[in-house]
Amino acid sequence: MKLYKIALIGGTGKAGSFLVKKLIEKGYQIKLLLRNPDNFSNQNPLIEVVKGDARDYDSINELIETCDAVISTIGQPKGEKSIFSDSTKNVIQSMNSNRIKRYIVITGLNVNTPFDNKNGKVKMATEWMYQNYPETTLDKQKEYELLVESNQDWTLVRLPLIIQTDESFKTETNLYDCIGENISANDLSEFLISQIEDETYFKKSPFLYNL
């Protein structure tokens, strides 16, 4: 198996920190975009840190050049305007410039696709997000639309509540509905890494959850 060099956005969040650990365990090289590198203590030689912001194209381009694939587990910074579509717009532009195709992104249950058949609970959760967090919810939908319009080999992984645990449970993917209520950070990391070379969900938006 080829060990790809991974550009990672959001590597210090509740999903990203587990992913960094798992990528290192598997021997991947990582380029990590950080706003505040001074607060990052992991000195592993497999990690290269790029200081910058996902909203800044030059930062994203410095991150992505020389890499083989891009993974984003970015979260919403508190008190700022929604970041998701801005980040993905920059990523798509840089990937085109650097001739990189594989882009794996995580998002919430609230993103809708034309193929969905969401159950009542997931529909209610989606409506709740639109009512209580309209800006970020609309922006995540815009991110999906940007991906659909792009020529990248993208996968947008839709997630329920992430549980920060190293435990592993039975997982399932579904293109139409989310049956489970949680996903462990460990299982999420394993799935994201498995998708680096797996073409099953190219240009698709699977739900991922624990049973």
Side-chain angles (χ1 to χ4, degrees), residues 92-147:
I92 290 169
Q93 183 182 343
S94 177
M95 289 180 73
N96 284 331
S97 296
N98 290 286
R99 298 184 180 181
I100 298 165
K101 296 291 289 182
R102 190 67 176 121
Y103 184 29
I104 304 161
V105 200
I106 67 169
T107 193
L109 299 181
N110 50 279
V111 171
N112 295 313
T113 81
F115 315 103
D116 287 349
N117 185 22
K118 291 180 175 180
N119 67 65
K121 187 179 286 189
V122 176
K123 284 180 179 177
M124 284 178 61
T126 299
E127 286 303 312
W128 188 90
M129 288 295 293
Y130 270 103
Q131 290 168 12
N132 291 276
Y133 299 96
E135 184 196 356
T136 53
T137 306
L138 284 166
D139 197 46
K140 286 183 176 184
Q141 189 67 36
K142 183 179 178 182
E143 179 178 47
Y144 167 71
E145 290 159 6
L146 287 169
L147 291 169

Side-chain angles (χ1 to χ4, degrees), residues 71-105:
I71 302 177
S72 176
T73 58
I74 198 168
Q76 175 58 36
K78 288 183 180 178
E80 299 183 18
K81 80 180 186 79
S82 189
I83 197 168
F84 304 102
S85 66
D86 286 345
S87 172
T88 280
K89 193 180 300 180
N90 286 334
V91 168
I92 290 169
Q93 183 182 343
S94 177
M95 289 180 73
N96 284 331
S97 296
N98 290 286
R99 298 184 180 181
I100 298 165
K101 296 291 289 182
R102 190 67 176 121
Y103 184 29
I104 304 161
V105 200

